[in-house]
Amino acid sequence: MSSTDPNSGDPGAQGVNAPDLQVFVFALFFIFGGITSLNDVIIPKLKELFTLNFTQAMLIQFCFFTAYLVVGIPGAKLVKKLGYMRGAVAGLAIMIIGCLLFIPAAQTATYALFLGALFVLASGVVIVQVVANPLISLLGKPETAHSRLTFAQAFNSLGTTVFPYVGAIVILGSLAAVTADQLSGAELAAYRTAESQAIVNGYLGIAAALAVVAIAVWAFRNRLPHSADTMGDKEFVSVPRYAAGLVLFIIGAVLAVQVNAIAGLVLIMAAPIVWLYGNDLLSRRRFSFGALCIFLYVGAEVSIGSLIINYLALDRVLGQPESVIGWMVSIYWGGAMVGRFIGSALMRVISPGKLLAFVAIGAIALIVISANTTGTVAAYSLLAIGLMNSIMFPTIFSLASEKLGSRAADGSGIINVAIFGGAVIPLATGAIADNTGSLAIAFALPALCYAIIAGFGYYARRPYDGPVAG
């Protein structure tokens, strides 16, 4: 009998006793965070192998976070159709395919194939993330769902800290004495193929771990509800409107690569405008301001994390090769993990909005200090921004989502689209670095993002007293 049969009770309401599956879902959160932060290690590796400028290197983050824009909406539709468990397995399978695509990318030493593999991998991540939060809520008593989700998010933060450390050893540790810009022809192709193997090895390990989790989720598929009714029946974006936006996105992507990057980005940004135009939630100033800040926050965090290894390697900072200081990016993400616990305690006595404004201003101050100092002060002041980032996403999300009521799911969908900032802001930051020849100057863009976030924190410092969204 199906677990959704009304005569058998509602497992979604009562919770499902599946502690073994909880372990695998926690592992999934760990892998999520790790895969995202591992991009920060891949960037300097591929930048050296393919002699890329910063704009070209930031295409790694662009392709990864573009999945949140392009795949988020159809991904939610897929999960509604398949149900939570089968949807999770589908997402995991796509992630495994993405990992395996690194093999032909390395064998042919083709940068475009690496970017394609990252997009496929991220597409699977997006689909599984649609499932992850409600899934962990189903695995146990409803009254302890919040604590389970918090515990799962802790594993996510642990992944963002551990993966860059291990990745720096496995991937950056293999950087040879010779560099790609010293070779040409067959020697260059052979060098790229050989050095790319370190990346392949890392992602094959991830694929194996994902396969284990997928098998576990599939084995438990009949112990949990098959449907995803809690996601709601209302269509977030109509199929014709999504198709129109997708066409704009594709044209913009081609234009950005082959003709003009700025014109292409304008068209790409038009896609979410087409999808969200007329959505009444965006008429709520607090929510729309918060969604903008999610876009800016993810962009600023990813920009700094993506370029931090290259920044630390500068002569005026630490002057050490990436293979030596690559592990230090884990300090950046580790600060975010520690800061979540500190911030959680502080928000018991300080207004969340005020605390958000404080940490955003703190991030700006650290960027200014790092840009105007040298050595370890410049290095660790930039790394400390991770501590400032720690509470931003959940705080912005919660402040923006106050009194959304029955529209909370729609609000979450818009927030997921806003994560696309992780594609746009890093690309723009890389372009500034290329045009000015200075990473310190390029970090002015993340600083501007933090300034707007500080403004939102001050704006939302008091509880929202407007009407509940209907």
Side-chain angles (χ1 to χ4, degrees), residues 196-270:
S196 297
Q197 191 58 43
I199 300 176
V200 173
N201 293 340
Y203 280 92
L204 285 179
I206 294 173
L210 290 172
V212 172
V213 176
I215 292 171
V217 174
W218 182 257
F220 281 90
R221 68 192 183 280
N222 293 323
R223 292 181 59 184
L224 296 179
H226 295 300
S227 68
D229 294 336
T230 56
M231 294 179 68
D233 297 324
K234 186 174 181 180
E235 197 170 49
F236 181 60
V237 177
S238 67
V239 174
R241 181 178 285 199
Y242 176 78
L246 185 61
V247 169
L248 286 175
F249 174 85
I250 294 172
I251 295 173
V254 173
L255 187 64
V257 173
Q258 297 187 356
V259 183
N260 183 280
I262 295 177
L265 279 176
V266 170
L267 269 182
I268 288 171
M269 291 301 297

Coordinates of all heavy atoms in Angstrom, one line a residue, residues 196-270:
S196 N 45.3 17.7 -15.5 CA 43.8 17.7 -15.3 C 43.4 16.4 -14.5 O 42.3 16.3 -14.0 CB 43.1 17.8 -16.6 OG 43.3 19.0 -17.2
Q197 N 44.2 15.4 -14.6 CA 43.9 14.1 -14.0 C 43.7 14.3 -12.5 O 42.8 13.5 -11.9 CB 45.0 13.1 -14.2 CG 44.6 11.7 -13.8 CD 43.4 11.2 -14.6 OE1 43.2 11.4 -15.8 NE2 42.5 10.5 -13.9
A198 N 44.3 15.2 -11.8 CA 44.1 15.4 -10.4 C 42.7 15.9 -10.1 O 42.1 15.5 -9.1 CB 45.1 16.5 -9.9
I199 N 42.1 16.7 -11.0 CA 40.7 17.1 -10.9 C 39.8 15.9 -11.1 O 38.8 15.7 -10.3 CB 40.4 18.2 -11.9 CG1 41.3 19.4 -11.7 CG2 38.9 18.6 -11.8 CD1 41.1 20.5 -12.7
V200 N 40.1 15.1 -12.1 CA 39.3 13.9 -12.4 C 39.2 13.0 -11.1 O 38.2 12.5 -10.7 CB 39.8 13.2 -13.6 CG1 39.1 11.8 -13.7 CG2 39.7 14.0 -14.8
N201 N 40.4 12.8 -10.5 CA 40.5 11.9 -9.4 C 39.6 12.4 -8.2 O 38.9 11.6 -7.6 CB 41.9 11.8 -8.9 CG 42.8 11.0 -9.9 OD1 42.3 10.3 -10.7 ND2 44.1 11.2 -9.8
G202 N 39.6 13.7 -8.0 CA 38.8 14.3 -7.0 C 37.3 14.1 -7.2 O 36.5 13.7 -6.3
Y203 N 36.8 14.3 -8.4 CA 35.4 14.2 -8.8 C 35.0 12.8 -8.9 O 33.8 12.5 -8.7 CB 35.1 15.1 -10.0 CG 35.0 16.5 -9.6 CD1 36.1 17.4 -9.7 CD2 33.8 17.0 -9.2 CE1 35.9 18.7 -9.3 CE2 33.6 18.4 -8.8 CZ 34.7 19.2 -8.9 OH 34.6 20.5 -8.5
L204 N 35.9 11.9 -9.3 CA 35.5 10.5 -9.3 C 35.2 10.0 -7.8 O 34.3 9.2 -7.6 CB 36.6 9.6 -9.9 CG 36.7 9.7 -11.4 CD1 37.9 8.8 -11.9 CD2 35.4 9.3 -12.1
G205 N 35.9 10.5 -6.9 CA 35.7 10.2 -5.5 C 34.3 10.7 -5.0 O 33.6 10.0 -4.3
I206 N 34.0 11.9 -5.5 CA 32.7 12.5 -5.2 C 31.6 11.7 -5.8 O 30.5 11.4 -5.2 CB 32.6 13.9 -5.6 CG1 33.6 14.8 -4.8 CG2 31.2 14.5 -5.5 CD1 33.7 16.2 -5.3
A207 N 31.8 11.2 -7.1 CA 30.8 10.4 -7.8 C 30.5 9.1 -7.0 O 29.4 8.7 -6.9 CB 31.3 10.1 -9.2
A208 N 31.6 8.5 -6.5 CA 31.4 7.3 -5.8 C 30.6 7.5 -4.5 O 29.7 6.7 -4.2 CB 32.8 6.7 -5.4
A209 N 30.8 8.6 -3.8 CA 30.1 8.9 -2.6 C 28.6 9.2 -2.9 O 27.7 8.8 -2.2 CB 30.7 10.1 -1.9
L210 N 28.4 9.9 -4.0 CA 27.0 10.2 -4.5 C 26.2 8.9 -4.8 O 25.0 8.8 -4.5 CB 27.0 11.1 -5.7 CG 27.5 12.6 -5.4 CD1 27.7 13.3 -6.7 CD2 26.5 13.3 -4.5
A211 N 27.0 8.0 -5.4 CA 26.3 6.7 -5.8 C 25.8 5.9 -4.6 O 24.7 5.4 -4.6 CB 27.3 5.8 -6.6
V212 N 26.6 6.0 -3.5 CA 26.3 5.3 -2.3 C 25.0 5.9 -1.7 O 24.0 5.3 -1.3 CB 27.4 5.4 -1.2 CG1 26.9 4.9 0.1 CG2 28.6 4.6 -1.7
V213 N 25.0 7.3 -1.7 CA 23.8 8.0 -1.2 C 22.6 7.7 -2.0 O 21.5 7.5 -1.5 CB 24.1 9.5 -1.1 CG1 22.8 10.3 -0.6 CG2 25.2 9.8 -0.1
A214 N 22.7 7.7 -3.4 CA 21.6 7.5 -4.3 C 21.0 6.1 -4.0 O 19.8 5.9 -4.0 CB 22.1 7.6 -5.7
I215 N 21.9 5.1 -3.9 CA 21.4 3.7 -3.6 C 20.6 3.7 -2.3 O 19.6 3.0 -2.2 CB 22.6 2.7 -3.6 CG1 23.2 2.6 -5.0 CG2 22.2 1.4 -3.0 CD1 24.5 1.8 -5.0
A216 N 21.1 4.4 -1.3 CA 20.4 4.4 0.0 C 19.1 5.1 -0.1 O 18.1 4.5 0.4 CB 21.3 5.1 1.1
V217 N 19.0 6.2 -0.8 CA 17.7 6.9 -1.0 C 16.7 6.0 -1.7 O 15.6 5.9 -1.4 CB 18.0 8.2 -1.7 CG1 16.6 8.9 -2.0 CG2 18.8 9.2 -0.8
W218 N 17.2 5.4 -2.8 CA 16.3 4.5 -3.6 C 15.8 3.3 -2.8 O 14.7 2.9 -2.9 CB 17.1 4.0 -4.8 CG 16.3 3.1 -5.7 CD1 16.3 1.8 -5.8 CD2 15.2 3.6 -6.6 NE1 15.4 1.3 -6.7 CE2 14.7 2.4 -7.2 CE3 14.7 4.8 -6.9 CZ2 13.7 2.5 -8.2 CZ3 13.7 4.9 -7.9 CH2 13.2 3.8 -8.5
A219 N 16.7 2.8 -1.9 CA 16.3 1.6 -1.1 C 15.2 2.0 -0.1 O 14.3 1.2 0.2 CB 17.5 1.1 -0.3
F220 N 15.1 3.3 0.3 CA 14.1 3.8 1.3 C 12.9 4.4 0.6 O 12.1 5.0 1.3 CB 14.8 4.8 2.2 CG 15.6 4.1 3.3 CD1 16.9 3.9 3.1 CD2 15.0 3.8 4.5 CE1 17.7 3.3 4.1 CE2 15.7 3.2 5.5 CZ 17.1 3.0 5.4
R221 N 12.9 4.3 -0.8 CA 11.9 5.1 -1.5 C 10.4 4.8 -1.1 O 9.5 5.7 -1.1 CB 12.0 4.9 -3.0 CG 11.7 3.5 -3.5 CD 12.2 3.3 -4.9 NE 11.8 2.0 -5.4 CZ 12.4 0.9 -5.1 NH1 13.5 0.9 -4.4 NH2 12.0 -0.3 -5.6
N222 N 10.2 3.6 -0.6 CA 8.8 3.2 -0.3 C 8.5 3.4 1.2 O 7.3 3.2 1.6 CB 8.6 1.7 -0.6 CG 8.6 1.4 -2.1 OD1 8.1 2.3 -2.9 ND2 9.2 0.3 -2.5
R223 N 9.4 3.9 1.9 CA 9.2 4.2 3.3 C 8.8 5.6 3.6 O 8.4 6.0 4.7 CB 10.4 3.8 4.2 CG 10.7 2.3 4.2 CD 11.9 2.1 5.1 NE 11.7 2.5 6.5 CZ 12.7 2.5 7.4 NH1 13.9 2.0 7.1 NH2 12.5 2.9 8.6
L224 N 8.8 6.4 2.5 CA 8.5 7.8 2.6 C 7.4 8.2 1.6 O 7.2 7.4 0.7 CB 9.7 8.7 2.4 CG 10.9 8.6 3.4 CD1 12.0 9.5 2.9 CD2 10.4 9.0 4.8
P225 N 6.7 9.3 1.8 CA 5.6 9.7 0.9 C 6.2 9.8 -0.5 O 7.2 10.3 -0.8 CB 5.1 11.0 1.4 CG 5.5 11.0 2.8 CD 6.8 10.2 2.9
H226 N 5.4 9.3 -1.5 CA 5.8 9.4 -2.9 C 5.5 10.8 -3.5 O 6.2 11.2 -4.4 CB 5.1 8.3 -3.8 CG 5.4 6.9 -3.4 ND1 6.7 6.4 -3.5 CD2 4.6 5.9 -2.9 CE1 6.7 5.2 -3.1 NE2 5.5 4.8 -2.8
S227 N 4.5 11.4 -2.9 CA 4.1 12.7 -3.5 C 4.9 13.8 -2.9 O 5.6 13.7 -1.9 CB 2.6 12.9 -3.3 OG 2.4 13.1 -1.9
A228 N 4.8 15.0 -3.6 CA 5.5 16.2 -3.1 C 4.4 17.3 -3.0 O 4.6 18.4 -3.4 CB 6.6 16.7 -4.0
D229 N 3.3 16.9 -2.4 CA 2.1 17.8 -2.3 C 2.4 19.1 -1.5 O 1.8 20.1 -1.7 CB 0.9 17.1 -1.6 CG 0.4 16.0 -2.5 OD1 0.6 16.0 -3.8 OD2 -0.2 15.0 -2.0
T230 N 3.4 19.0 -0.5 CA 3.7 20.1 0.3 C 4.3 21.2 -0.4 O 4.5 22.3 0.1 CB 4.6 19.7 1.5 OG1 5.7 19.1 1.0 CG2 3.9 18.7 2.4
M231 N 4.8 20.9 -1.6 CA 5.4 22.0 -2.5 C 4.3 22.9 -3.1 O 4.6 23.9 -3.6 CB 6.2 21.4 -3.6 CG 7.4 20.6 -3.1 SD 8.4 19.9 -4.4 CE 9.0 21.4 -5.2
G232 N 3.0 22.5 -3.0 CA 2.0 23.3 -3.5 C 1.6 23.0 -4.9 O 2.5 22.5 -5.7
D233 N 0.4 23.4 -5.3 CA 0.0 23.2 -6.7 C 0.1 24.4 -7.6 O 0.0 24.2 -8.8 CB -1.5 22.7 -6.7 CG -1.7 21.4 -6.0 OD1 -0.8 20.5 -6.0 OD2 -2.7 21.2 -5.3
K234 N 0.3 25.5 -7.0 CA 0.4 26.8 -7.8 C 1.6 26.8 -8.7 O 2.7 26.5 -8.2 CB 0.3 28.0 -6.9 CG 0.2 29.3 -7.7 CD 0.0 30.5 -6.8 CE -0.1 31.8 -7.6 NZ -0.3 32.9 -6.7
E235 N 1.4 27.1 -9.9 CA 2.6 27.2 -10.9 C 3.4 28.5 -10.6 O 2.8 29.6 -10.7 CB 2.1 27.1 -12.3 CG 3.1 26.8 -13.3 CD 2.5 26.5 -14.7 OE1 1.7 27.3 -15.2 OE2 2.8 25.4 -15.3
F236 N 4.6 28.3 -10.4 CA 5.5 29.5 -10.1 C 5.7 30.3 -11.3 O 5.6 31.6 -11.3 CB 6.8 29.0 -9.5 CG 7.8 30.1 -9.2 CD1 7.4 31.1 -8.2 CD2 9.0 30.2 -9.8 CE1 8.3 32.1 -7.9 CE2 9.9 31.2 -9.4 CZ 9.6 32.1 -8.5
V237 N 6.0 29.7 -12.4 CA 6.2 30.4 -13.7 C 5.5 29.5 -14.8 O 5.7 28.3 -14.8 CB 7.7 30.6 -14.1 CG1 7.8 31.3 -15.4 CG2 8.3 31.5 -13.0
S238 N 4.7 30.1 -15.7 CA 4.1 29.3 -16.7 C 5.1 28.8 -17.7 O 6.2 29.4 -17.9 CB 3.0 30.2 -17.4 OG 3.6 31.2 -18.1
V239 N 4.8 27.7 -18.4 CA 5.7 27.1 -19.3 C 6.1 28.1 -20.5 O 7.2 28.3 -20.8 CB 5.1 25.8 -19.9 CG1 6.0 25.3 -21.0 CG2 5.0 24.8 -18.8
P240 N 5.1 28.8 -21.1 CA 5.4 29.8 -22.1 C 6.3 30.9 -21.7 O 7.3 31.3 -22.4 CB 4.1 30.3 -22.6 CG 3.1 29.2 -22.2 CD 3.6 28.7 -20.9
R241 N 6.1 31.4 -20.5 CA 6.9 32.5 -19.9 C 8.3 32.0 -19.6 O 9.3 32.7 -19.9 CB 6.3 33.1 -18.7 CG 7.1 34.2 -18.1 CD 6.4 34.9 -16.9 NE 5.3 35.7 -17.3 CZ 4.8 36.6 -16.5 NH1 5.3 36.8 -15.3 NH2 3.7 37.3 -16.9
Y242 N 8.4 30.7 -19.1 CA 9.7 30.2 -18.8 C 10.5 30.0 -20.1 O 11.7 30.3 -20.2 CB 9.6 28.8 -18.1 CG 11.0 28.2 -17.9 CD1 11.8 28.6 -16.9 CD2 11.4 27.2 -18.8 CE1 13.1 28.0 -16.7 CE2 12.6 26.6 -18.6 CZ 13.5 27.0 -17.6 OH 14.7 26.4 -17.4
A243 N 9.8 29.5 -21.2 CA 10.4 29.3 -22.5 C 11.0 30.6 -23.1 O 12.1 30.7 -23.6 CB 9.5 28.6 -23.4
A244 N 10.2 31.7 -22.9 CA 10.6 33.0 -23.5 C 11.8 33.5 -22.7 O 12.8 34.0 -23.4 CB 9.4 34.0 -23.3
G245 N 11.8 33.3 -21.4 CA 13.0 33.7 -20.7 C 14.2 32.9 -21.0 O 15.4 33.4 -21.1
L246 N 14.0 31.6 -21.2 CA 15.1 30.7 -21.5 C 15.8 31.1 -22.9 O 17.0 31.0 -23.0 CB 14.6 29.3 -21.6 CG 15.7 28.2 -21.8 CD1 16.7 28.2 -20.6 CD2 15.1 26.8 -21.8
V247 N 14.9 31.5 -23.8 CA 15.4 31.9 -25.2 C 16.3 33.1 -25.0 O 17.4 33.2 -25.6 CB 14.3 32.2 -26.1 CG1 14.8 32.9 -27.4 CG2 13.6 30.9 -26.5
L248 N 15.9 34.1 -24.2 CA 16.7 35.3 -23.9 C 18.0 34.9 -23.3 O 19.0 35.5 -23.6 CB 15.9 36.2 -23.0 CG 14.7 37.0 -23.6 CD1 14.0 37.8 -22.6 CD2 15.3 37.9 -24.7
F249 N 17.9 33.9 -22.3 CA 19.2 33.5 -21.7 C 20.1 32.9 -22.6 O 21.3 33.2 -22.6 CB 18.8 32.5 -20.6 CG 20.0 31.9 -19.9 CD1 20.7 32.6 -18.9 CD2 20.6 30.7 -20.4 CE1 21.8 32.0 -18.3 CE2 21.7 30.2 -19.8 CZ 22.3 30.8 -18.8
I250 N 19.7 32.0 -23.5 CA 20.5 31.4 -24.5 C 21.2 32.4 -25.4 O 22.4 32.3 -25.7 CB 19.8 30.3 -25.2 CG1 19.4 29.1 -24.3 CG2 20.6 29.7 -26.4 CD1 18.4 28.1 -24.9
I251 N 20.3 33.3 -26.0 CA 20.9 34.3 -26.9 C 21.9 35.2 -26.1 O 23.0 35.5 -26.7 CB 19.7 35.2 -27.4 CG1 18.8 34.4 -28.3 CG2 20.3 36.4 -28.2 CD1 17.5 35.1 -28.7
G252 N 21.6 35.5 -24.9 CA 22.5 36.3 -24.1 C 23.8 35.6 -23.8 O 24.9 36.2 -23.9
A253 N 23.8 34.3 -23.6 CA 25.0 33.5 -23.3 C 25.9 33.5 -24.5 O 27.1 33.7 -24.5 CB 24.6 32.1 -22.8
V254 N 25.3 33.2 -25.7 CA 26.0 33.2 -27.0 C 26.6 34.6 -27.3 O 27.8 34.7 -27.7 CB 25.1 32.8 -28.1 CG1 25.9 32.9 -29.5 CG2 24.7 31.3 -27.9
L255 N 25.8 35.6 -27.0 CA 26.3 37.0 -27.3 C 27.5 37.3 -26.4 O 28.4 38.0 -26.8 CB 25.1 38.0 -27.1 CG 25.4 39.4 -27.4 CD1 25.6 39.6 -28.9 CD2 24.2 40.3 -27.0
A256 N 27.4 36.9 -25.1 CA 28.4 37.2 -24.1 C 29.7 36.6 -24.5 O 30.8 37.2 -24.3 CB 28.0 36.8 -22.7
V257 N 29.7 35.3 -25.0 CA 30.9 34.6 -25.3 C 31.5 35.0 -26.6 O 32.7 35.2 -26.8 CB 30.6 33.1 -25.4 CG1 31.8 32.3 -25.9 CG2 30.2 32.6 -24.0
Q258 N 30.7 35.3 -27.6 CA 31.2 35.5 -29.0 C 31.2 37.0 -29.4 O 32.0 37.3 -30.4 CB 30.4 34.7 -30.0 CG 30.4 33.2 -29.8 CD 29.7 32.4 -30.9 OE1 29.1 33.0 -31.8 NE2 29.8 31.1 -30.8
V259 N 30.4 37.9 -28.8 CA 30.4 39.3 -29.3 C 30.8 40.3 -28.2 O 31.8 40.8 -28.2 CB 28.9 39.6 -29.8 CG1 28.9 41.0 -30.4 CG2 28.5 38.6 -30.9
N260 N 29.9 40.4 -27.2 CA 30.1 41.5 -26.2 C 29.6 41.0 -24.9 O 28.4 40.6 -24.7 CB 29.4 42.8 -26.6 CG 29.7 43.9 -25.6 OD1 29.0 44.0 -24.6 ND2 30.6 44.8 -26.0
A261 N 30.5 40.9 -23.9 CA 30.1 40.3 -22.6 C 29.0 41.1 -21.9 O 28.1 40.6 -21.3 CB 31.3 40.2 -21.7
I262 N 29.1 42.5 -21.9 CA 28.2 43.3 -21.2 C 26.8 43.2 -21.8 O 25.8 43.0 -21.1 CB 28.6 44.8 -21.2 CG1 29.9 45.0 -20.5 CG2 27.5 45.7 -20.7 CD1 30.5 46.3 -20.5
A263 N 26.7 43.2 -23.2 CA 25.4 43.1 -23.8 C 24.8 41.7 -23.6 O 23.6 41.6 -23.4 CB 25.6 43.3 -25.4
G264 N 25.6 40.7 -23.5 CA 25.2 39.4 -23.3 C 24.6 39.2 -21.9 O 23.5 38.6 -21.6
L265 N 25.3 39.8 -20.9 CA 24.8 39.8 -19.5 C 23.5 40.5 -19.3 O 22.6 40.1 -18.5 CB 25.9 40.4 -18.5 CG 27.0 39.5 -18.2 CD1 28.0 40.3 -17.3 CD2 26.5 38.3 -17.4
V266 N 23.3 41.6 -20.1 CA 22.0 42.3 -20.0 C 20.9 41.4 -20.4 O 19.8 41.4 -19.8 CB 22.1 43.6 -20.9 CG1 20.7 44.2 -21.0 CG2 23.0 44.6 -20.3
L267 N 21.1 40.7 -21.5 CA 20.1 39.8 -22.0 C 19.8 38.6 -21.0 O 18.7 38.2 -20.8 CB 20.4 39.2 -23.4 CG 19.9 40.0 -24.6 CD1 20.4 39.3 -25.9 CD2 18.4 40.1 -24.6
I268 N 20.9 38.1 -20.5 CA 20.8 37.0 -19.5 C 20.0 37.5 -18.3 O 19.1 36.8 -17.8 CB 22.2 36.6 -19.0 CG1 22.9 35.8 -20.2 CG2 22.1 35.7 -17.8 CD1 24.3 35.5 -19.9
M269 N 20.2 38.7 -17.8 CA 19.5 39.3 -16.7 C 18.0 39.5 -17.0 O 17.2 39.6 -16.1 CB 20.2 40.6 -16.2 CG 21.5 40.4 -15.6 SD 21.5 39.3 -14.1 CE 20.5 40.2 -13.0
A270 N 17.7 39.6 -18.3 CA 16.3 39.8 -18.7 C 15.5 38.6 -18.5 O 14.3 38.7 -18.3 CB 16.3 40.2 -20.2

